[in-house]
C-alpha cells in the first residue's frame, strides 16, 4: 500500500527522503491485511441502523438488504408522516435503474420512530419492527430478532453500527436524539456532503473523547435522486470511498518539529501521535461495518488511509464549492456552467481562494505534491470534469432551494471560509457566495408583487443577528458637493 508521508506520519529510520518515490495523485485503497476480519471475533450485533432516508440513505438501505445473508437493518425516522408513507408502500424500498431496466423492491426493514424528548426520560424512540406472517394470524415473530445484549435498560435498542445520511445542518440535532443509545463501542459512518460536521459534533454532542464513538467517513460519487418517499432512482453508478476519521482528541497531531525520533517514543506515545491504519480501525464495529459495506457490489465501496481519504474529500469539496452554489443561484442544470465564459471566470476566481486555503491546511503539511494536487489549475480541471460527467443532473443544492429545504452551504463554502479564517485568509468570494445562497433561501416564498417600502425593509434588518456584517465607510472621503 502506498502511503503519503507527512509531518505526523514520519519516515521510518531505514527510509531516505531523497530516495522515496514521488507521490501519485491516485489514492490507493487499504490492503485487506490492514483490517482483520471481524467475523473471527465476537460481534455484539450485526444490526445496522440508518439515520436519514434521503436519496443516499435509501440507496444504502436497499443495497444492504440485497446482500446474501443481509444484516438486520433499522431505519430511523424523525417524522411520523415518513413512517406512514413507508407503510403505504408495504414497508418496502424501491430502487429504479432506468439504464439497466431494473425496478427492485426490498422489504424486511425494522423502523425506529422519534417521538420527541421527555423532560425526565430524554429522547423517546418507538420501535416498529418488521413482523413475519400475515396480519390477523395470531402471534407474528420479528423478522430480525434482537440479540441478547441489544436492549438497553430503558427498553430502547443499542446502536452498534450507524450510517448517517442526513443533511449537514441536521447532523447535530439528529445525533443528539440518539446520544443515549451509543457509546465508545459504536461506529458512526457519515455519508454526507461537505466538511465540518464532525468538529461541530465533538463540540456540542460527543464532548468526552473517552465515550465518543468512532467516526467513519464515506465519500459518495453515485448519482441518485428520489421520486417518491421510499423510491430512489440510481441515475449514475459511482463509488464510495471509506475511511476512519482521525480523532484529534485521541490522536493529536504531533509537533511539526519532533523532539525525538519515533523509534525513541514509548508505545503509548507512538500510538497517540502516529497511529497506524490498523490501530485506527481498532473498534470492532468499525471493521464489521467496513466489511458489510464493501460486500455490496452496487455501492462499490473501498477503504482508504485517512490522509488519502481527506484529500479525496477536499477534491470533492472544491468541485462542490463552485458547482452547487452557482447552479442553485442561477437555477440551471450542472452542464449550463460549461456554456458561459463569464461563469468560467467566476469559477476560476472561487477556486483560487479554495486552493489557497486547502494548500495551507496543517493536516496536509509535508505531504508530497499537495501544492500541485490542489493548485487552482488542477481544481478547475477537476470541477470541469465533474460538471461534464453530471451535465444533465441537477445539483443537490439547487434541488434543496427548489423544494424549500435548507441548503448545506455552511459545510461547503462555509467550511472554506472557516478554515481560511484560521490561516488569516479572508475568503471574500466564498463568503459572498455563501451569503447569496442564504439570502435566496431566506427570500423564498416572498410576494414580490406587493409594495415593499424602505421603512419595512429597515425594520427587518437586525444588526445583532448572527452573521450580520457591517461595512464601515469612515475611510471613504465624502464627495465634493457640486
Amino acid at each position: 500500500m502506498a502511503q503519503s508521508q507527512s509531518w505526523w506520519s514520519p519516515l521510518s529510520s531505514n527510509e531516505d527522503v531523497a530516495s522515496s518515490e514521488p507521490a501519485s495523485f491516485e489514492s490507493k485503497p487499504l490492503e485487506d491485511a490492514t483490517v482483520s476480519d471481524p467475523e473471527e471475533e465476537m460481534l455484539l450485533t450485526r444490526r445496522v441502523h440508518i439515520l436519514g432516508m434521503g436519496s443516499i440513505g435509501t440507496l444504502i438501505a436497499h443495497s444492504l438488504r440485497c446482500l446474501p445473508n443481509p444484516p438486520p437493518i433499522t431505519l430511523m425516522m424523525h417524522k411520523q408522516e415518513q413512517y406512514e408513507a413507508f407503510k403505504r408502500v408495504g414497508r418496502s424500498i424501491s430502487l429504479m435503474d432506468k439504464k439497466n431496466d431494473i425496478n427492485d423492491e426490498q422489504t424486511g426493514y425494522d423502523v425506529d420512530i422519534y417521538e420527541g424528548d421527555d423532560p425526565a426520560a430524554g429522547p423517546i424512540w418507538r420501535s416498529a419492527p418488521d413482523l413475519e406472517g400475515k396480519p390477523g394470524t395470531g402471534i407474528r415473530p420479528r423478522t430480525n430478532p434482537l440479540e441478547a445484549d441489544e436492549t438497553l435498560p430503558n427498553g430502547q435498542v443499542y446502536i452498534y453500527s450507524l450510517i448517517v445520511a442526513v443533511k449537514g445542518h441536521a447532523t447535530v440535532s439528529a445525533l443528539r436524539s440518539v446520544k443515549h443509545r451509543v457509546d465508545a463501542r459504536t461506529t458512526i459512518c457519515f455519508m454526507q456532503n461537505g466538511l465540518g460536521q464532525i468538529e461541530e459534533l465533538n463540540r456540542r454532542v460527543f464532548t468526552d473523547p473517552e465515550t465518543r464513538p468512532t467516526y467513519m467517513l464515506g465519500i459518495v460519487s453515485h448519482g441518485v435522486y428520489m421520486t417518491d418517499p421510499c423510491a430512489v432512482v440510481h441515475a449514475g453508478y459511482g463509488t464510495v470511498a471509506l475511511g476512519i476519521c482521525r480523532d484529534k482528541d485521541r490522536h493529536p497531531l504531533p509537533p511539526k518539529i519532533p523532539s525525538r525520533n519515533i523509534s525513541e517514543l514509548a508505545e503509548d506515545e507512538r500510538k497517540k501521535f502516529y497511529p497506524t491504519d490498523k490501530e485506527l480501525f481498532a473498534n470492532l464495529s468499525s471493521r464489521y461495518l467496513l466489511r458489510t459495506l464493501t460486500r455490496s457490489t452496487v455501492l462499490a465501496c473501498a477503504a482508504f488511509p485517512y490522509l488519502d481519504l481527506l484529500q479525496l474529500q477536499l477534491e470533492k469539496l472544491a468541485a462542490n464549492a463552485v458547482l452547487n452554489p452557482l447552479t442553485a443561484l442561477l437555477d440551471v442544470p450542472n452542464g449550463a456552467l460549461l456554456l458561459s465564459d463569464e461563469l468560467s471566470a467566476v469559477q476560476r476566481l472561487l477556486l483560487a481562494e479554495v486552493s489557497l486555503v486547502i494548500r495551507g491546511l496543517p493536516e496536509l503539511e509535508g505531504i508530497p505534491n499537495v501544492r500541485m494536487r490542489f493548485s487552482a489549475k488542477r481544481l478547475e480541471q477537476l470541477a470541469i470534469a465533474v460538471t461534464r460527467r453530471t451535465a444533465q443532473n441537477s445539483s443537490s443544492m439547487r434541488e434543496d432551494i427548489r423544494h424549500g429545504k435548507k441548503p448545506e452551504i455552511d459545510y461547503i463554502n462555509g467550511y472554506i471560509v472557516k478554515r481560511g479564517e484560521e490561516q488569516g485568509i479572508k475568503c471574500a468570494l466564498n463568503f459572498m457566495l455563501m451569503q447569496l445562497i442564504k439570502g435566496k433561501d431566506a427570500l423564498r416564498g416572498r410576494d414580490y408583487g406587493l409594495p415593499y417600502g424602505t421603512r419595512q425593509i429597515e425594520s427587518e434588518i437586525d444588526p445583532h443577528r448572527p452573521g450580520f456584517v457591517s461595512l464601515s465607510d469612515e475611510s471613504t472621503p465624502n464627495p465634493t458637493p457640486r
Side-chain angles (χ1 to χ4, degrees):
M1 176 184 67
Q3 279 193 317
S4 300
Q5 300 295 339
S6 74
W7 56 266
W8 62 266
S9 180
L11 296 168
S12 60
S13 57
N14 61 348
E15 288 180 300
D16 185 88
V17 178
S19 64
S20 60
E21 296 181 358
S24 168
F25 288 158
E26 180 184 2
S27 297
K28 303 293 182 65
L30 288 174
E31 295 177 350
D32 289 340
T34 305
V35 183
S36 61
D37 190 350
E39 298 300 329
E40 299 174 358
E41 305 172 77
M42 185 61 68
L43 285 170
L44 178 68
T45 174
R46 296 178 64 243
R47 184 177 301 275
V48 176
H49 288 76
I50 300 177
L51 182 58
M53 293 307 296
S55 56
I56 295 299
T58 304
L59 172 68
I60 293 169
H62 184 278
S63 301
L64 294 185
R65 193 64 191 166
C66 290
L67 294 175
N69 187 26
I73 299 172
T74 297
L75 310 178
M76 307 190 75
M77 301 181 180
H78 273 88
K79 296 181 180 178
Q80 178 66 33
E81 51 265 34
Q82 195 175 14
Y83 178 58
E84 296 300 327
F86 183 62
K87 288 197 298 183
R88 283 196 296 272
V89 295
R91 295 179 64 103
S92 67
I93 289 178
S94 299
L95 178 107
M96 289 162 279
D97 184 342
K98 296 179 180 178
K99 185 176 181 180
N100 296 318
D101 195 26
I102 294 172
N103 187 351
D104 181 61
E105 286 188 0
Q106 290 293 325
T107 58
Y109 300 98
D110 296 328
V111 178
D112 279 357
I113 307 147
Y114 180 63
E115 296 191 330
D117 284 0
D118 182 275
I124 304 298
W125 289 85
R126 175 169 58 89
S127 176
D130 189 73
L131 303 177
E132 293 180 346
K134 295 182 179 180
T137 58
I139 298 176
R140 299 170 62 203
R142 294 181 63 130
T143 304
N144 308 300
L146 292 174
E147 300 289 336
D149 297 327
E150 279 193 87
T151 306
L152 297 169
N154 62 7
Q156 297 187 33
V157 177
Y158 172 71
I159 298 176
Y160 193 53
S161 302
L162 174 64
I163 295 172
V164 174
V166 300
K167 293 289 185 180
H169 53 78
T171 305
V172 167
S173 59
L175 285 174
R176 188 176 279 136
S177 69
V178 300
K179 181 182 178 181
H180 62 296
R181 298 176 59 182
V182 305
D183 59 23
R185 297 172 295 173
T186 304
T187 293
I188 302 176
C189 180
F190 296 90
M191 303 276 193
Q192 299 175 302
N193 282 330
L195 284 163
Q197 299 95 320
I198 287 178
E199 291 82 358
E200 194 173 359
L201 275 176
N202 289 346
R203 189 173 66 253
R204 300 175 58 186
V205 182
F206 302 113
T207 57
D208 183 2
E210 297 301 319
T211 60
R212 183 180 296 159
T214 297
Y215 299 141
M216 185 182 292
L217 303 176
I219 307 172
V220 182
S221 64
H222 292 275
V224 288
Y225 62 90
M226 304 288 291
T227 55
D228 290 302
C230 302
V232 63
V233 174
H234 202 172
Y237 280 88
T239 61
V240 181
L242 298 170
I244 294 295
C245 175
R246 177 177 176 136
D247 188 333
K248 293 188 181 70
D249 289 318
R250 294 173 178 165
H251 303 289
L253 298 180
K256 295 182 181 181
I257 304 176
S259 57
R260 289 177 291 168
N261 189 285
I262 187 174
S263 60
E264 299 173 355
L265 296 176
E267 184 64 8
D268 58 340
E269 286 185 281
R270 199 274 308 159
K271 287 184 177 180
K272 181 178 180 180
F273 292 113
Y274 305 104
T276 65
D277 291 301
K278 190 170 185 178
E279 287 164 350
L280 290 175
F281 274 97
N283 201 333
L284 178 57
S285 60
S286 302
R287 301 195 294 278
Y288 167 67
L289 187 55
L290 175 67
R291 293 286 182 180
T292 301
L293 289 168
T294 52
R295 286 171 58 201
S296 171
T297 55
V298 173
L299 294 178
C301 299
F304 288 80
Y306 173 62
L307 277 181
D308 285 352
L309 189 77
L310 176 60
Q311 292 176 82
L312 292 173
Q313 268 192 310
L314 291 169
E315 287 178 345
K316 182 179 179 181
L317 182 79
N320 283 343
V322 295
L323 190 62
N324 276 272
L326 290 180
T327 55
L329 280 175
L330 301 170
D331 194 18
V332 294
N334 296 353
L337 300 186
L338 300 170
L339 307 177
S340 167
D341 291 339
E342 292 78 10
L343 290 178
S344 296
V346 171
Q347 293 179 72
R348 281 195 291 272
L349 289 170
L350 283 167
L351 289 170
E353 273 191 357
V354 173
S355 170
L356 187 61
V357 171
I358 292 178
R359 287 184 295 163
L361 292 176
E363 298 95 316
L364 301 183
E365 188 168 339
I367 298 177
N369 280 331
V370 161
R371 296 191 63 81
M372 189 181 300
R373 179 170 185 168
F374 294 102
S375 67
K377 183 65 177 177
R378 182 170 182 272
L379 292 182
E380 182 186 2
Q381 294 171 347
L382 285 174
I384 291 173
V386 172
T387 305
R388 285 176 175 161
R389 192 169 62 247
T390 62
Q392 303 300 318
N393 297 356
S394 179
S395 72
S396 59
M397 192 172 293
R398 181 194 181 205
E399 290 303 302
D400 287 342
I401 293 287
R402 295 175 76 183
H403 292 94
K405 298 179 180 179
K406 185 176 179 180
E408 296 180 287
I409 193 72
D410 283 327
Y411 301 95
I412 301 176
N413 299 78
Y415 181 80
I416 295 297
V417 172
K418 178 183 175 183
R419 297 308 303 269
E421 288 283 351
E422 294 172 2
Q423 303 174 49
I425 302 170
K426 301 293 184 182
C427 298
L429 296 178
N430 279 274
F431 179 81
M432 181 179 69
L433 197 55
M434 179 174 68
Q435 297 304 104
L436 285 171
I437 288 292
K438 290 184 175 182
K440 181 167 185 174
D441 179 51
L443 293 173
R444 186 179 54 236
R446 286 278 177 83
D447 186 352
Y448 300 105
L450 296 175
Y452 208 72
T454 305
R455 290 179 181 272
Q456 187 176 355
I457 293 175
E458 290 176 346
S459 68
E460 294 188 7
I461 296 178
D462 177 11
H464 302 293
R465 73 176 184 269
F468 182 84
V469 176
S470 175
L471 298 179
S472 172
D473 62 353
E474 292 178 359
S475 61
T476 304
N478 292 325
T480 304
R482 296 187 178 185

